[in-house]
Amino acid sequence: MIWNKWIRQSHRWLSIIFTATVAANFIAMAMGQPPAWIVYSPLLPLFLLLFSGLYMFVLPYVAKGRDGQPTSG
């Protein structure tokens, strides 16, 4: 499915953005008291990573249920 590929690719790019914002946060803190927008900038990519990660985590279980296989025991 093209949708799954798009979710995985966006998850990868979001992880790069998240890492960059956290690194910028540490650099700004080393220079003194950073502005609030720098402190809170990692939160948006973090929440987007949460949703895309949960989607990818649940996907195999949903697919297993759709194949007609029993989901428990």
Short mmCIF file of all heavy atoms in Angstrom, two decimals:
data_model
loop_
_atom_site.label_atom_id
_atom_site.label_comp_id
_atom_site.label_asym_id
_atom_site.label_seq_id
_atom_site.Cartn_x
_atom_site.Cartn_y
_atom_site.Cartn_z
N MET A 1 0.83 -1.20 0.00
CA MET A 1 0.00 0.00 0.00
C MET A 1 0.87 1.25 0.00
O MET A 1 1.88 1.31 0.67
CB MET A 1 -0.87 0.03 1.26
CG MET A 1 -2.06 -0.85 1.24
SD MET A 1 -3.00 -0.54 2.73
CE MET A 1 -4.56 -0.25 2.03
N ILE A 2 0.45 2.23 -0.72
CA ILE A 2 1.20 3.48 -0.81
C ILE A 2 1.07 4.26 0.50
O ILE A 2 1.97 4.99 0.89
CB ILE A 2 0.75 4.31 -2.04
CG1 ILE A 2 1.74 5.42 -2.33
CG2 ILE A 2 -0.63 4.86 -1.85
CD1 ILE A 2 2.93 4.97 -3.10
N TRP A 3 -0.06 4.10 1.20
CA TRP A 3 -0.29 4.81 2.46
C TRP A 3 0.74 4.39 3.50
O TRP A 3 1.32 5.23 4.20
CB TRP A 3 -1.71 4.52 2.94
CG TRP A 3 -2.10 5.24 4.17
CD1 TRP A 3 -2.26 4.67 5.40
CD2 TRP A 3 -2.38 6.63 4.34
NE1 TRP A 3 -2.62 5.63 6.31
CE2 TRP A 3 -2.71 6.84 5.68
CE3 TRP A 3 -2.37 7.72 3.47
CZ2 TRP A 3 -3.02 8.09 6.18
CZ3 TRP A 3 -2.70 8.95 3.97
CH2 TRP A 3 -3.02 9.13 5.30
N ASN A 4 1.00 3.08 3.63
CA ASN A 4 1.98 2.59 4.61
C ASN A 4 3.38 3.10 4.30
O ASN A 4 4.14 3.45 5.20
CB ASN A 4 1.97 1.07 4.64
CG ASN A 4 0.68 0.51 5.19
OD1 ASN A 4 -0.03 1.19 5.93
ND2 ASN A 4 0.37 -0.71 4.82
N LYS A 5 3.72 3.13 3.02
CA LYS A 5 5.04 3.62 2.63
C LYS A 5 5.19 5.10 2.98
O LYS A 5 6.24 5.53 3.46
CB LYS A 5 5.23 3.41 1.12
CG LYS A 5 6.59 3.77 0.62
CD LYS A 5 6.72 3.47 -0.86
CE LYS A 5 8.09 3.85 -1.36
NZ LYS A 5 8.24 3.63 -2.79
N TRP A 6 4.12 5.87 2.78
CA TRP A 6 4.15 7.30 3.10
C TRP A 6 4.30 7.52 4.60
O TRP A 6 5.06 8.39 5.02
CB TRP A 6 2.87 7.95 2.57
CG TRP A 6 2.86 9.42 2.73
CD1 TRP A 6 3.42 10.33 1.88
CD2 TRP A 6 2.29 10.17 3.80
NE1 TRP A 6 3.22 11.59 2.36
CE2 TRP A 6 2.53 11.53 3.54
CE3 TRP A 6 1.61 9.82 4.95
CZ2 TRP A 6 2.12 12.52 4.41
CZ3 TRP A 6 1.19 10.82 5.81
CH2 TRP A 6 1.44 12.15 5.51
N ILE A 7 3.60 6.73 5.41
CA ILE A 7 3.70 6.84 6.87
C ILE A 7 5.12 6.52 7.33
O ILE A 7 5.70 7.23 8.15
CB ILE A 7 2.69 5.91 7.57
CG1 ILE A 7 1.26 6.37 7.33
CG2 ILE A 7 2.96 5.80 9.06
CD1 ILE A 7 0.85 7.59 8.11
N ARG A 8 5.69 5.45 6.80
CA ARG A 8 7.06 5.07 7.20
C ARG A 8 8.09 6.13 6.81
O ARG A 8 8.98 6.46 7.58
CB ARG A 8 7.45 3.73 6.56
CG ARG A 8 6.72 2.57 7.17
CD ARG A 8 7.16 1.26 6.54
NE ARG A 8 6.33 0.18 7.00
CZ ARG A 8 6.51 -0.45 8.15
NH1 ARG A 8 7.50 -0.10 8.94
NH2 ARG A 8 5.72 -1.43 8.51
N GLN A 9 7.95 6.67 5.61
CA GLN A 9 8.89 7.70 5.16
C GLN A 9 8.76 8.96 5.99
O GLN A 9 9.76 9.57 6.37
CB GLN A 9 8.67 7.99 3.67
CG GLN A 9 9.74 8.84 3.06
CD GLN A 9 11.09 8.16 3.02
OE1 GLN A 9 11.19 6.94 2.92
NE2 GLN A 9 12.15 8.93 3.12
N SER A 10 7.52 9.36 6.27
CA SER A 10 7.34 10.56 7.10
C SER A 10 7.84 10.33 8.51
O SER A 10 8.37 11.25 9.14
CB SER A 10 5.87 10.99 7.10
OG SER A 10 5.07 10.01 7.70
N HIS A 11 7.71 9.11 9.03
CA HIS A 11 8.24 8.80 10.36
C HIS A 11 9.76 8.96 10.39
O HIS A 11 10.31 9.49 11.36
CB HIS A 11 7.83 7.37 10.75
CG HIS A 11 8.16 7.00 12.15
ND1 HIS A 11 7.36 7.35 13.21
CD2 HIS A 11 9.19 6.32 12.68
CE1 HIS A 11 7.89 6.90 14.33
NE2 HIS A 11 9.00 6.26 14.03
N ARG A 12 10.42 8.52 9.34
CA ARG A 12 11.88 8.67 9.26
C ARG A 12 12.29 10.14 9.24
O ARG A 12 13.22 10.55 9.94
CB ARG A 12 12.41 7.96 8.02
CG ARG A 12 12.34 6.47 8.11
CD ARG A 12 12.92 5.82 6.88
NE ARG A 12 12.63 4.39 6.90
CZ ARG A 12 11.98 3.76 5.95
NH1 ARG A 12 11.59 4.40 4.87
NH2 ARG A 12 11.74 2.47 6.05
N TRP A 13 11.60 10.93 8.41
CA TRP A 13 11.94 12.35 8.33
C TRP A 13 11.60 13.09 9.62
O TRP A 13 12.33 13.98 10.03
CB TRP A 13 11.25 13.00 7.14
CG TRP A 13 11.97 12.70 5.86
CD1 TRP A 13 11.61 11.81 4.90
CD2 TRP A 13 13.22 13.26 5.44
NE1 TRP A 13 12.55 11.80 3.90
CE2 TRP A 13 13.54 12.67 4.20
CE3 TRP A 13 14.10 14.19 5.99
CZ2 TRP A 13 14.71 13.00 3.52
CZ3 TRP A 13 15.25 14.52 5.29
CH2 TRP A 13 15.54 13.93 4.08
N LEU A 14 10.52 12.70 10.25
CA LEU A 14 10.17 13.32 11.53
C LEU A 14 11.21 13.02 12.60
O LEU A 14 11.49 13.86 13.45
CB LEU A 14 8.79 12.83 12.00
CG LEU A 14 7.59 13.47 11.34
CD1 LEU A 14 6.33 12.71 11.71
CD2 LEU A 14 7.48 14.93 11.75
N SER A 15 11.78 11.82 12.56
CA SER A 15 12.82 11.49 13.53
C SER A 15 14.07 12.36 13.32
O SER A 15 14.71 12.77 14.29
CB SER A 15 13.18 10.01 13.46
OG SER A 15 13.81 9.70 12.25
N ILE A 16 14.39 12.67 12.07
CA ILE A 16 15.52 13.55 11.78
C ILE A 16 15.23 14.97 12.29
O ILE A 16 16.07 15.61 12.92
CB ILE A 16 15.84 13.56 10.28
CG1 ILE A 16 16.36 12.19 9.86
CG2 ILE A 16 16.83 14.66 9.92
CD1 ILE A 16 16.47 11.99 8.36
N ILE A 17 14.01 15.45 12.03
CA ILE A 17 13.62 16.78 12.50
C ILE A 17 13.62 16.84 14.01
O ILE A 17 14.10 17.81 14.61
CB ILE A 17 12.24 17.16 11.92
CG1 ILE A 17 12.33 17.32 10.40
CG2 ILE A 17 11.69 18.42 12.57
CD1 ILE A 17 10.99 17.41 9.71
N PHE A 18 13.11 15.80 14.66
CA PHE A 18 13.09 15.76 16.12
C PHE A 18 14.50 15.80 16.69
O PHE A 18 14.79 16.55 17.63
CB PHE A 18 12.35 14.51 16.60
CG PHE A 18 12.39 14.33 18.09
CD1 PHE A 18 11.65 15.15 18.92
CD2 PHE A 18 13.16 13.34 18.66
CE1 PHE A 18 11.68 14.99 20.29
CE2 PHE A 18 13.21 13.16 20.02
CZ PHE A 18 12.46 14.00 20.84
N THR A 19 15.40 15.02 16.11
CA THR A 19 16.78 15.00 16.58
C THR A 19 17.44 16.36 16.40
O THR A 19 18.17 16.83 17.30
CB THR A 19 17.57 13.92 15.83
OG1 THR A 19 16.91 12.66 15.99
CG2 THR A 19 19.00 13.82 16.34
N ALA A 20 17.17 17.01 15.31
CA ALA A 20 17.75 18.34 15.06
C ALA A 20 17.21 19.37 16.05
O ALA A 20 17.97 20.21 16.55
CB ALA A 20 17.46 18.78 13.64
N THR A 21 15.92 19.31 16.37
CA THR A 21 15.36 20.28 17.32
C THR A 21 15.88 20.03 18.74
O THR A 21 16.10 20.98 19.48
CB THR A 21 13.83 20.25 17.31
OG1 THR A 21 13.37 18.92 17.60
CG2 THR A 21 13.27 20.72 15.99
N VAL A 22 16.09 18.77 19.10
CA VAL A 22 16.66 18.48 20.42
C VAL A 22 18.10 18.96 20.48
O VAL A 22 18.53 19.55 21.49
CB VAL A 22 16.55 16.98 20.75
CG1 VAL A 22 17.35 16.62 21.99
CG2 VAL A 22 15.09 16.59 20.94
N ALA A 23 18.87 18.76 19.42
CA ALA A 23 20.25 19.24 19.39
C ALA A 23 20.29 20.76 19.47
O ALA A 23 21.12 21.33 20.20
CB ALA A 23 20.94 18.75 18.12
N ALA A 24 19.39 21.42 18.75
CA ALA A 24 19.33 22.89 18.81
C ALA A 24 18.95 23.35 20.21
O ALA A 24 19.44 24.38 20.68
CB ALA A 24 18.32 23.41 17.79
N ASN A 25 18.12 22.59 20.87
CA ASN A 25 17.72 22.91 22.24
C ASN A 25 18.93 22.86 23.18
O ASN A 25 19.13 23.76 24.00
CB ASN A 25 16.65 21.92 22.69
CG ASN A 25 15.75 22.46 23.76
OD1 ASN A 25 16.11 23.39 24.46
ND2 ASN A 25 14.60 21.86 23.90
N PHE A 26 19.74 21.80 23.07
CA PHE A 26 20.93 21.69 23.92
C PHE A 26 21.93 22.80 23.62
O PHE A 26 22.56 23.36 24.54
CB PHE A 26 21.59 20.33 23.74
CG PHE A 26 20.96 19.25 24.57
CD1 PHE A 26 20.15 18.29 23.98
CD2 PHE A 26 21.16 19.20 25.94
CE1 PHE A 26 19.56 17.30 24.73
CE2 PHE A 26 20.59 18.21 26.71
CZ PHE A 26 19.77 17.26 26.10
N ILE A 27 22.11 23.13 22.36
CA ILE A 27 23.04 24.20 21.98
C ILE A 27 22.55 25.54 22.54
O ILE A 27 23.34 26.32 23.09
CB ILE A 27 23.21 24.26 20.45
CG1 ILE A 27 23.95 23.01 19.97
CG2 ILE A 27 23.92 25.52 20.02
CD1 ILE A 27 23.94 22.82 18.47
N ALA A 28 21.25 25.79 22.44
CA ALA A 28 20.70 27.05 22.94
C ALA A 28 20.81 27.12 24.46
O ALA A 28 21.07 28.19 25.02
CB ALA A 28 19.25 27.18 22.51
N MET A 29 20.63 26.00 25.14
CA MET A 29 20.74 26.00 26.61
C MET A 29 22.18 26.22 27.06
O MET A 29 22.41 26.76 28.14
CB MET A 29 20.19 24.70 27.18
CG MET A 29 18.70 24.63 27.18
SD MET A 29 18.15 23.14 28.01
CE MET A 29 16.39 23.32 27.81
N ALA A 30 23.13 25.78 26.24
CA ALA A 30 24.53 25.99 26.59
C ALA A 30 24.91 27.47 26.50
O ALA A 30 25.84 27.92 27.17
CB ALA A 30 25.43 25.17 25.67
N MET A 31 24.18 28.23 25.70
CA MET A 31 24.47 29.65 25.53
C MET A 31 23.73 30.53 26.53
O MET A 31 23.92 31.74 26.52
CB MET A 31 24.10 30.08 24.11
CG MET A 31 24.92 29.44 23.06
SD MET A 31 24.41 30.02 21.45
CE MET A 31 25.41 29.02 20.40
N GLY A 32 22.88 29.95 27.33
CA GLY A 32 22.11 30.74 28.29
C GLY A 32 20.65 30.31 28.27
O GLY A 32 20.32 29.21 27.82
N GLN A 33 19.80 31.19 28.76
CA GLN A 33 18.38 30.88 28.80
C GLN A 33 17.78 31.01 27.39
O GLN A 33 17.73 32.11 26.84
CB GLN A 33 17.67 31.85 29.76
CG GLN A 33 16.20 31.57 29.96
CD GLN A 33 15.94 30.24 30.63
OE1 GLN A 33 16.76 29.73 31.37
NE2 GLN A 33 14.79 29.67 30.36
N PRO A 34 17.30 29.89 26.81
CA PRO A 34 16.77 29.96 25.45
C PRO A 34 15.33 30.48 25.44
O PRO A 34 14.62 30.38 26.45
CB PRO A 34 16.82 28.51 24.97
CG PRO A 34 16.69 27.71 26.22
CD PRO A 34 17.38 28.52 27.29
N PRO A 35 14.89 31.00 24.32
CA PRO A 35 13.50 31.42 24.20
C PRO A 35 12.55 30.21 24.29
O PRO A 35 12.95 29.07 24.02
CB PRO A 35 13.40 32.06 22.82
CG PRO A 35 14.79 32.17 22.32
CD PRO A 35 15.67 31.30 23.13
N ALA A 36 11.32 30.47 24.64
CA ALA A 36 10.35 29.39 24.83
C ALA A 36 10.10 28.61 23.54
O ALA A 36 9.90 27.39 23.58
CB ALA A 36 9.04 29.97 25.35
N TRP A 37 10.14 29.28 22.39
CA TRP A 37 9.85 28.55 21.15
C TRP A 37 10.91 27.51 20.84
O TRP A 37 10.63 26.50 20.20
CB TRP A 37 9.66 29.51 19.98
CG TRP A 37 10.89 30.26 19.56
CD1 TRP A 37 11.34 31.44 20.05
CD2 TRP A 37 11.82 29.85 18.56
NE1 TRP A 37 12.49 31.81 19.42
CE2 TRP A 37 12.82 30.85 18.48
CE3 TRP A 37 11.92 28.75 17.71
CZ2 TRP A 37 13.89 30.76 17.61
CZ3 TRP A 37 12.99 28.68 16.84
CH2 TRP A 37 13.96 29.67 16.79
N ILE A 38 12.16 27.74 21.29
CA ILE A 38 13.21 26.73 21.10
C ILE A 38 13.01 25.58 22.07
O ILE A 38 13.19 24.42 21.71
CB ILE A 38 14.61 27.36 21.25
CG1 ILE A 38 14.88 28.32 20.11
CG2 ILE A 38 15.68 26.28 21.30
CD1 ILE A 38 16.22 29.02 20.18
N VAL A 39 12.61 25.90 23.29
CA VAL A 39 12.42 24.86 24.30
C VAL A 39 11.29 23.92 23.89
O VAL A 39 11.40 22.70 24.04
CB VAL A 39 12.13 25.50 25.67
CG1 VAL A 39 11.77 24.43 26.69
CG2 VAL A 39 13.33 26.30 26.15
N TYR A 40 10.21 24.46 23.36
CA TYR A 40 9.04 23.65 23.03
C TYR A 40 9.02 23.16 21.59
O TYR A 40 8.10 22.45 21.20
CB TYR A 40 7.76 24.43 23.33
CG TYR A 40 7.60 24.72 24.80
CD1 TYR A 40 7.58 26.03 25.26
CD2 TYR A 40 7.50 23.70 25.72
CE1 TYR A 40 7.45 26.30 26.61
CE2 TYR A 40 7.37 23.95 27.07
CZ TYR A 40 7.34 25.25 27.51
OH TYR A 40 7.21 25.51 28.84
N SER A 41 10.01 23.50 20.80
CA SER A 41 10.02 23.09 19.39
C SER A 41 10.08 21.57 19.17
O SER A 41 9.53 21.10 18.18
CB SER A 41 11.15 23.78 18.64
OG SER A 41 12.39 23.41 19.15
N PRO A 42 10.69 20.77 20.05
CA PRO A 42 10.68 19.32 19.80
C PRO A 42 9.33 18.65 20.03
O PRO A 42 9.14 17.51 19.63
CB PRO A 42 11.70 18.77 20.79
CG PRO A 42 12.56 19.90 21.17
CD PRO A 42 11.69 21.11 21.08
N LEU A 43 8.38 19.34 20.63
CA LEU A 43 7.12 18.69 20.98
C LEU A 43 6.27 18.32 19.77
O LEU A 43 5.68 17.24 19.74
CB LEU A 43 6.32 19.57 21.94
CG LEU A 43 6.90 19.68 23.35
CD1 LEU A 43 6.03 20.59 24.20
CD2 LEU A 43 7.02 18.33 23.98
N LEU A 44 6.19 19.18 18.77
CA LEU A 44 5.37 18.86 17.60
C LEU A 44 5.88 17.62 16.87
O LEU A 44 5.10 16.69 16.63
CB LEU A 44 5.28 20.06 16.65
CG LEU A 44 4.47 19.81 15.38
CD1 LEU A 44 3.03 19.49 15.70
CD2 LEU A 44 4.58 21.01 14.46
N PRO A 45 7.18 17.54 16.52
CA PRO A 45 7.63 16.31 15.88
C PRO A 45 7.50 15.09 16.79
O PRO A 45 7.25 13.98 16.32
CB PRO A 45 9.09 16.56 15.52
CG PRO A 45 9.39 17.95 15.84
CD PRO A 45 8.24 18.56 16.53
N LEU A 46 7.64 15.30 18.10
CA LEU A 46 7.51 14.18 19.03
C LEU A 46 6.10 13.60 19.01
O LEU A 46 5.91 12.38 18.96
CB LEU A 46 7.88 14.62 20.44
CG LEU A 46 7.80 13.55 21.53
CD1 LEU A 46 8.79 12.44 21.24
CD2 LEU A 46 8.05 14.17 22.88
N PHE A 47 5.08 14.46 19.03
CA PHE A 47 3.71 13.97 18.98
C PHE A 47 3.39 13.32 17.64
O PHE A 47 2.69 12.30 17.59
CB PHE A 47 2.72 15.09 19.29
CG PHE A 47 2.65 15.43 20.74
CD1 PHE A 47 2.94 16.70 21.18
CD2 PHE A 47 2.31 14.48 21.69
CE1 PHE A 47 2.89 17.03 22.52
CE2 PHE A 47 2.25 14.79 23.02
CZ PHE A 47 2.54 16.06 23.45
N LEU A 48 3.91 13.87 16.55
CA LEU A 48 3.70 13.25 15.25
C LEU A 48 4.40 11.90 15.16
O LEU A 48 3.87 10.95 14.58
CB LEU A 48 4.17 14.19 14.14
CG LEU A 48 3.37 15.48 13.99
CD1 LEU A 48 4.04 16.40 12.97
CD2 LEU A 48 1.94 15.20 13.60
N LEU A 49 5.58 11.79 15.78
CA LEU A 49 6.27 10.50 15.85
C LEU A 49 5.47 9.50 16.68
O LEU A 49 5.44 8.31 16.35
CB LEU A 49 7.66 10.67 16.46
CG LEU A 49 8.75 11.18 15.54
CD1 LEU A 49 9.98 11.57 16.35
CD2 LEU A 49 9.10 10.14 14.52
N LEU A 50 4.85 9.97 17.74
CA LEU A 50 4.03 9.10 18.57
C LEU A 50 2.90 8.49 17.76
O LEU A 50 2.69 7.27 17.77
CB LEU A 50 3.46 9.88 19.76
CG LEU A 50 2.42 9.16 20.61
CD1 LEU A 50 3.08 8.09 21.45
CD2 LEU A 50 1.68 10.14 21.47
N PHE A 51 2.17 9.30 17.01
CA PHE A 51 1.03 8.80 16.25
C PHE A 51 1.47 7.88 15.11
O PHE A 51 0.87 6.83 14.89
CB PHE A 51 0.19 9.96 15.72
CG PHE A 51 -0.46 10.75 16.82
CD1 PHE A 51 -0.33 12.12 16.87
CD2 PHE A 51 -1.19 10.12 17.81
CE1 PHE A 51 -0.92 12.85 17.87
CE2 PHE A 51 -1.79 10.84 18.83
CZ PHE A 51 -1.65 12.21 18.85
N SER A 52 2.51 8.27 14.39
CA SER A 52 2.96 7.40 13.29
C SER A 52 3.58 6.11 13.82
O SER A 52 3.41 5.05 13.24
CB SER A 52 3.94 8.14 12.39
OG SER A 52 5.11 8.52 13.10
N GLY A 53 4.27 6.19 14.95
CA GLY A 53 4.85 5.00 15.55
C GLY A 53 3.79 4.04 16.06
O GLY A 53 3.89 2.82 15.90
N LEU A 54 2.75 4.58 16.70
CA LEU A 54 1.65 3.73 17.15
C LEU A 54 0.93 3.08 15.98
O LEU A 54 0.53 1.92 16.05
CB LEU A 54 0.67 4.54 18.00
CG LEU A 54 1.14 4.89 19.40
CD1 LEU A 54 0.15 5.83 20.07
CD2 LEU A 54 1.35 3.64 20.23
N TYR A 55 0.76 3.83 14.90
CA TYR A 55 0.14 3.27 13.70
C TYR A 55 0.96 2.09 13.18
O TYR A 55 0.41 1.02 12.88
CB TYR A 55 0.01 4.35 12.62
CG TYR A 55 -0.45 3.81 11.30
CD1 TYR A 55 -1.79 3.53 11.07
CD2 TYR A 55 0.47 3.57 10.27
CE1 TYR A 55 -2.21 3.03 9.85
CE2 TYR A 55 0.05 3.07 9.06
CZ TYR A 55 -1.29 2.80 8.85
OH TYR A 55 -1.70 2.30 7.65
N MET A 56 2.28 2.26 13.08
CA MET A 56 3.12 1.18 12.57
C MET A 56 3.20 0.02 13.55
O MET A 56 3.36 -1.13 13.14
CB MET A 56 4.52 1.70 12.26
CG MET A 56 4.55 2.59 11.05
SD MET A 56 6.20 3.02 10.51
CE MET A 56 6.83 3.93 11.90
N PHE A 57 3.05 0.29 14.85
CA PHE A 57 3.07 -0.78 15.84
C PHE A 57 1.82 -1.65 15.74
O PHE A 57 1.88 -2.87 15.84
CB PHE A 57 3.18 -0.18 17.25
CG PHE A 57 3.15 -1.21 18.34
CD1 PHE A 57 4.26 -1.98 18.61
CD2 PHE A 57 2.00 -1.40 19.09
CE1 PHE A 57 4.23 -2.93 19.60
CE2 PHE A 57 1.96 -2.33 20.09
CZ PHE A 57 3.08 -3.11 20.35
N VAL A 58 0.67 -1.04 15.53
CA VAL A 58 -0.61 -1.76 15.50
C VAL A 58 -0.85 -2.43 14.16
O VAL A 58 -1.58 -3.41 14.07
CB VAL A 58 -1.76 -0.78 15.86
CG1 VAL A 58 -3.11 -1.40 15.65
CG2 VAL A 58 -1.60 -0.30 17.29
N LEU A 59 -0.22 -1.94 13.10
CA LEU A 59 -0.47 -2.43 11.75
C LEU A 59 -0.34 -3.95 11.59
O LEU A 59 -1.23 -4.57 10.99
CB LEU A 59 0.45 -1.70 10.77
CG LEU A 59 0.11 -1.85 9.30
CD1 LEU A 59 -1.26 -1.27 9.00
CD2 LEU A 59 1.16 -1.14 8.46
N PRO A 60 0.70 -4.62 12.09
CA PRO A 60 0.78 -6.08 11.91
C PRO A 60 -0.36 -6.83 12.61
O PRO A 60 -0.82 -7.85 12.11
CB PRO A 60 2.13 -6.46 12.54
CG PRO A 60 2.90 -5.22 12.62
CD PRO A 60 1.92 -4.10 12.71
N TYR A 61 -0.81 -6.33 13.74
CA TYR A 61 -1.89 -7.00 14.46
C TYR A 61 -3.21 -6.86 13.72
O TYR A 61 -4.01 -7.78 13.67
CB TYR A 61 -2.01 -6.44 15.88
CG TYR A 61 -0.76 -6.66 16.68
CD1 TYR A 61 0.08 -5.59 16.97
CD2 TYR A 61 -0.40 -7.92 17.12
CE1 TYR A 61 1.24 -5.78 17.70
CE2 TYR A 61 0.76 -8.13 17.84
CZ TYR A 61 1.58 -7.05 18.13
OH TYR A 61 2.73 -7.24 18.83
N VAL A 62 -3.43 -5.70 13.12
CA VAL A 62 -4.65 -5.49 12.33
C VAL A 62 -4.61 -6.34 11.07
O VAL A 62 -5.61 -6.94 10.68
CB VAL A 62 -4.82 -3.99 12.00
CG1 VAL A 62 -5.96 -3.77 11.04
CG2 VAL A 62 -5.02 -3.19 13.27
N ALA A 63 -3.46 -6.41 10.43
CA ALA A 63 -3.32 -7.21 9.21
C ALA A 63 -3.51 -8.69 9.52
O ALA A 63 -4.11 -9.42 8.74
CB ALA A 63 -1.96 -6.97 8.57
N LYS A 64 -3.01 -9.14 10.66
CA LYS A 64 -3.18 -10.54 11.06
C LYS A 64 -4.64 -10.85 11.27
O LYS A 64 -5.13 -11.90 10.89
CB LYS A 64 -2.39 -10.83 12.33
CG LYS A 64 -2.37 -12.30 12.70
CD LYS A 64 -1.73 -12.56 14.04
CE LYS A 64 -0.28 -12.18 14.07
NZ LYS A 64 0.38 -12.54 15.33
N GLY A 65 -5.38 -9.92 11.86
CA GLY A 65 -6.80 -10.11 12.07
C GLY A 65 -7.58 -10.12 10.77
O GLY A 65 -8.58 -10.79 10.63
N ARG A 66 -7.15 -9.34 9.80
CA ARG A 66 -7.82 -9.27 8.50
C ARG A 66 -7.60 -10.52 7.66
O ARG A 66 -8.40 -10.84 6.80
CB ARG A 66 -7.33 -8.06 7.71
CG ARG A 66 -8.22 -6.86 7.87
CD ARG A 66 -7.85 -5.82 6.88
NE ARG A 66 -6.88 -4.94 7.53
CZ ARG A 66 -6.00 -4.20 6.92
NH1 ARG A 66 -5.93 -4.18 5.63
NH2 ARG A 66 -5.18 -3.42 7.59
N ASP A 67 -6.50 -11.23 7.90
CA ASP A 67 -6.20 -12.43 7.12
C ASP A 67 -7.09 -13.61 7.51
O ASP A 67 -7.02 -14.65 6.88
CB ASP A 67 -4.74 -12.85 7.30
CG ASP A 67 -3.80 -11.86 6.63
OD1 ASP A 67 -4.26 -11.12 5.75
OD2 ASP A 67 -2.61 -11.87 6.98
N GLY A 68 -7.88 -13.45 8.55
CA GLY A 68 -8.75 -14.52 8.98
C GLY A 68 -8.13 -15.41 10.02
O GLY A 68 -8.72 -16.39 10.44
N GLN A 69 -6.92 -15.10 10.44
CA GLN A 69 -6.28 -15.88 11.48
C GLN A 69 -6.80 -15.41 12.83
O GLN A 69 -7.11 -14.25 13.01
CB GLN A 69 -4.77 -15.69 11.44
CG GLN A 69 -4.14 -16.14 10.13
CD GLN A 69 -2.67 -15.79 10.08
OE1 GLN A 69 -2.15 -15.13 10.97
NE2 GLN A 69 -2.00 -16.19 9.03
N PRO A 70 -6.88 -16.32 13.77
CA PRO A 70 -7.31 -15.89 15.10
C PRO A 70 -6.28 -14.96 15.74
O PRO A 70 -5.08 -15.15 15.59
CB PRO A 70 -7.44 -17.18 15.91
CG PRO A 70 -6.73 -18.23 15.10
CD PRO A 70 -6.65 -17.75 13.69
N THR A 71 -6.76 -13.91 16.40
CA THR A 71 -5.86 -12.93 16.98
C THR A 71 -5.39 -13.33 18.37
O THR A 71 -4.43 -12.80 18.87
CB THR A 71 -6.53 -11.56 17.06
OG1 THR A 71 -7.76 -11.68 17.78
CG2 THR A 71 -6.81 -11.01 15.67
N SER A 72 -6.05 -14.27 19.01
CA SER A 72 -5.62 -14.69 20.35
C SER A 72 -5.42 -16.19 20.37
O SER A 72 -6.10 -16.95 19.69
CB SER A 72 -6.66 -14.28 21.40
OG SER A 72 -7.88 -14.93 21.14
N GLY A 73 -4.44 -16.62 21.19
CA GLY A 73 -4.08 -17.96 21.52
C GLY A 73 -4.25 -19.03 20.61
O GLY A 73 -4.00 -20.06 20.44
#
